Amino acid sequence: RGQHHHPTPKAMKAVILIGGLDILRPLTLSLPQPLIEFCNKTLLMHQLEALKAAGVNDVVLCVHEKNLPKSWNDVITKYEMDLGLRMQCSIEKSSLGTAGPLKLAESLITNDGSSQEPFFVLNGDVLCSFPLRDMLHVHVQHKGCGTVMTTWNDEPSKYGVVVGNDKSGRIEHFVNRPETFVSNLINAGLYIFDPSIFSRLPSAGEKASMNEVLSQLATEENLYHFESKGYWVKMTDVRTFLSAVGPQLEMTRLLHGADLAPHSGAPVPPTTMIVGNVLIDQTAVIGDDCKLGPDVVIGPKCVLGNGVRLESTTVMSGVQVDAHAVIHDSVIGWNSHVGSWAWVTSSVLAEDVAVKLGTLLNGVTVLPHKELSVSVREPRIII
């Protein structure tokens, strides 16, 4: 119905709201959050690849200046080359809330007001199955100002909650962090807006809340939702980062099974056992008699000794794990070294941490460049 009047936009833009994201501490002490690797690809790259697959060729990144490392421009240039996308940055000097950055970037998004095409908006802390083409199809059909991706959640009171009309998909109520039960459908942090959204935002440089804007659009009967049934995660801390690895690897298994070990990545010796979904970079070195998995990610240039046991663990690039060490439910930061017979569980090691021979760590968060030779059996932060 009416589909031929509104063909899919030829040159779609997308906006990624990164802001001052800094929730994956202590990993963000070394790299800004978008450049942290998740399943051997930066969080930003996961989003960019999904946008490219949906037909986007122009991306605006809204970033707070305090989140820009010296290498930022080099990274962006490399991503432009690798993906064939145009990428522009809109830099915030002060915090502008969840919708203020959008207004600041208006001229980049609308080509100084000449474009009337709809555009995607993604929160920088969200990973999901990214059903962006389906969402766009829904947006083009209903002709409203905005479409919100929603997802079913067991704890809706933490989020913006949507009450939708099942038949039309129009959002009747939008309630932020409701105190009483309203619905299990939450705002998933992905949107499609028409440029008419800009007239509803405060002037550039002012703070604005996305949830307030959405609430206003719902009141105007101009907001619709698209319910995604795929996996979805909002990165709130390293725990949620780890909990997302399982669903991400399962999606990889279903869509690109050949990318997982032992079919892909570094050679796995015949005496080493792979259990469930395991992703190994091709430059890693894996010892004999190891047991790896399920839900294990091994980054570039990692070296695993003989008899190493990894489960529900992400090992960043350049890590060395010596013989017979056991690591469970943990993140091991770049260039760290876990000694022989060490036992690490439910812990996060930042960059360049050394865990000495036979040391036990339980529930420990360790800041960069530390050396641990004494066991820590109770959860704590090592500064």
Side-chain angles (χ1 to χ4, degrees), residues 335-339 349 352-356 369-373:
N335 303 317
S336 290
H337 184 181
V338 178
L349 311 188
D352 181 37
V353 169
V355 179
K356 294 301 191 182
H369 316 302
K370 299 286 164 227
E371 187 172 294
L372 296 167
S373 53

Side-chain angles (χ1 to χ4, degrees), residues 27-308:
L27 302 175
T28 47
L29 295 170
S30 303
L31 274 177
Q33 183 155 320
L35 303 186
I36 289 173
E37 300 95 356
F38 171 79
C39 295
N40 285 349
K41 230 180 244 176
T42 66
L43 291 167
L44 180 56
M45 182 59 106
H46 281 283
Q47 293 192 320
L48 292 172
E49 285 186 346
L51 289 167
K52 177 152 176 87
V56 168
N57 50 17
D58 209 328
V59 179
V60 177
L61 303 174
C62 296
V63 196
H64 194 288
E65 63 177 2
K66 74 176 168 62
N67 230 5
L68 292 173
K70 291 189 174 68
S71 62
W72 182 257
N73 288 344
D74 297 340
V75 172
I76 297 307
T77 305
K78 183 181 186 320
Y79 283 3
E80 283 188 314
M81 299 283 289
D82 290 351
L83 292 168
L85 291 170
R86 182 165 83 134
M87 294 170 68
Q88 302 175 85
C89 290
S90 172
I91 312 292
E92 300 150 52
K93 299 270 190 279
S94 59
S95 177
L96 298 176
T98 44
L102 212 51
K103 184 69 175 176
L104 191 67
E106 178 177 0
S107 62
L108 291 177
I109 298 165
T110 63
N111 298 335
D112 296 324
S114 65
S115 167
Q116 290 307 307
E117 297 290 359
F119 55 93
F120 287 107
V121 177
L122 278 65
N123 282 353
D125 56 359
V126 165
L127 274 186
C128 62
S129 46
F130 293 116
L132 300 176
R133 281 188 185 272
D134 294 343
M135 187 175 167
L136 181 59
H137 180 73
V138 166
H139 179 82
V140 165
Q141 287 205 312
H142 67 59
K143 305 183 183 68
C145 175
T147 304
V148 182
M149 189 174 110
T150 53
T151 186
W152 184 268
N153 192 281
D154 292 331
E155 298 180 84
S157 61
K158 295 179 177 176
Y159 303 97
V161 173
V162 164
V163 179
N165 179 315
D166 287 344
K167 228 174 180 161
S168 68
R170 187 166 57 73
I171 293 176
E172 294 173 344
H173 302 290
F174 187 93
V175 189
N176 191 32
R177 299 182 187 228
E179 287 172 22
T180 55
F181 179 79
V182 178
S183 143
N184 283 101
L185 277 183
I186 64 160
N187 170 7
L190 277 82
Y191 316 93
I192 300 175
F193 291 121
D194 283 356
S196 59
I197 186 73
F198 291 112
S199 64
R200 294 165 170 89
L201 294 171
S203 46
E206 286 186 33
K207 259 191 157 168
S209 153
M210 183 67 84
N211 284 331
E212 282 176 19
V213 175
L214 296 175
S215 188
Q216 181 191 336
L217 284 176
T219 306
E220 291 174 21
E221 302 189 348
N222 216 341
L223 188 64
Y224 291 75
H225 79 104
F226 168 84
E227 186 183 348
S228 170
K229 309 280 196 216
Y231 106 88
W232 175 88
V233 66
K234 180 181 170 72
M235 298 275 173
T236 51
D237 52 22
V238 181
R239 282 279 121 229
T240 52
F241 176 97
L242 267 178
S243 70
V245 170
Q248 179 74 29
L249 291 184
E250 183 59 15
M251 197 167 75
T252 304
R253 184 183 71 80
L254 294 170
L255 299 176
H256 312 284
D259 290 352
L260 296 177
H263 318 292
S264 191
V268 175
T271 55
T272 282
M273 192 171 161
I274 301 287
V275 183
N277 297 330
V278 176
L279 181 66
I280 305 176
D281 186 87
Q282 59 191 22
T283 60
V285 177
I286 310 296
D288 294 316
D289 302 309
C290 296
K291 189 174 178 188
L292 310 176
D295 301 337
V296 163
V297 177
I298 298 169
K301 301 192 171 85
C302 289
V303 178
L304 269 55
N306 296 337
V308 165

